[in-house]
Amino acid sequence: MIGAGRLVAIQLIVFMLGAVVMGFEMLATRYLYPYFGGSIETWGALIATVLAALMLGYFMGGYLADRTANLGLCALLVVVAALWIAAMPWSADAIFLRLMTDVGDGAAVTILASAILLAVPLAMLGTLLPFVIRVTIADTQHAGRVAGLSYAVSTFGSIFGTLFVTFTLIPSFGVRAITLMLAGACAVGALGLFLLRRR
């Protein structure tokens, strides 16, 4: 049976990375706005990309967690998310300018730009919950409770991330600084998962 201290530590990481998911989605609007505006179409592209990335992450995480219930592997996937997010301040503008020059604007380009920005890191972060549920379930009798707790904590983190980034960070810091904060949070989460990697 997993210890109470380890369970709390894992759920704190779930909360933090849940905050990163929605925090980065909100910040993504700042990256896209100069090129694609803030219309309902841009928001639709963002939301669809987030949902598709998380769907892929959940599926991939479930497959990998059944093959090896090791948080160390999950930590490596979160590191990929951290590196991708950290690279955006130096690469997003060049990528979006190239898209606008070579392809033009329109729905397809907006979706593609959203996918370039969000798909990889959010898919990697989406693998977290299947791993967490796999390693924290002590017996099938408590599977529903463990899964419900993990999704609730992640969603609570997402609510916090949405509000904190929107109302506190964006008015106070530049996009680059906030992006690096979110990448740093991913790195801290990855380190925590690595330290908790034992079965």
Side-chain angles (χ1 to χ4, degrees), residues 60-76:
M60 182 170 64
Y63 176 79
L64 293 174
D66 278 346
R67 290 179 64 87
T68 171
N70 188 338
L71 290 177
L73 175 58
C74 186
L76 291 177

Side-chain angles (χ1 to χ4, degrees), residues 29-53:
T29 61
R30 296 294 182 173
Y31 281 100
L32 295 175
Y33 183 80
Y35 304 95
F36 306 101
S39 66
I40 190 67
E41 289 83 5
T42 302
W43 274 103
L46 274 173
I47 293 170
T49 299
V50 170
L51 294 175

Side-chain angles (χ1 to χ4, degrees), residues 15 120 158:
F15 174 87
V120 170
S158 294

Side-chain angles (χ1 to χ4, degrees), residues 55-107:
M55 176 184 68
L56 176 61
Y58 296 150
F59 179 82
M60 182 170 64
Y63 176 79
L64 293 174
D66 278 346
R67 290 179 64 87
T68 171
N70 188 338
L71 290 177
L73 175 58
C74 186
L76 291 177
L77 298 175
V78 175
V79 167
V80 173
L83 293 174
W84 191 278
I85 292 172
M88 284 300 104
W90 291 274
S91 59
D93 286 336
I95 293 171
F96 295 162
L97 281 172
R98 185 66 180 266
L99 284 176
M100 297 287 286
T101 300
D102 293 351
V103 185
D105 54 9

Side-chain angles (χ1 to χ4, degrees), residues 7-188:
L7 177 62
V8 170
I10 290 173
Q11 294 300 334
L12 286 174
I13 295 170
V14 168
F15 174 87
M16 181 169 61
L17 296 183
V20 171
V21 168
M22 286 305 298
F24 193 51
E25 179 185 359
M26 301 309 296
L27 189 64
T29 61
R30 296 294 182 173
Y31 281 100
L32 295 175
Y33 183 80
Y35 304 95
F36 306 101
S39 66
I40 190 67
E41 289 83 5
T42 302
W43 274 103
L46 274 173
I47 293 170
T49 299
V50 170
L51 294 175
L54 291 175
M55 176 184 68
L56 176 61
Y58 296 150
F59 179 82
M60 182 170 64
Y63 176 79
L64 293 174
D66 278 346
R67 290 179 64 87
T68 171
N70 188 338
L71 290 177
L73 175 58
C74 186
L76 291 177
L77 298 175
V78 175
V79 167
V80 173
L83 293 174
W84 191 278
I85 292 172
M88 284 300 104
W90 291 274
S91 59
D93 286 336
I95 293 171
F96 295 162
L97 281 172
R98 185 66 180 266
L99 284 176
M100 297 287 286
T101 300
D102 293 351
V103 185
D105 54 9
V109 179
T110 306
I111 294 170
L112 179 58
S114 300
I116 291 170
L117 189 63
L118 294 168
V120 170
L122 296 195
M124 296 300 101
L125 293 174
T127 64
L128 175 67
L129 286 178
F131 272 97
V132 165
I133 293 169
R134 181 71 174 82
V135 302
T136 54
I137 287 178
D139 54 72
T140 55
Q141 186 176 358
H142 299 95
R145 186 184 307 172
V146 170
L149 172 65
S150 297
Y151 276 99
V153 169
S154 178
T155 303
F156 184 48
S158 294
I159 294 169
F160 173 81
T162 299
L163 298 176
F164 186 63
V165 169
T166 302
F167 294 102
T168 301
L169 294 184
I170 289 177
S172 304
F173 299 94
V175 170
R176 176 176 295 185
I178 302 171
T179 304
L180 294 179
M181 290 177 195
L182 296 176
C186 284
V188 170

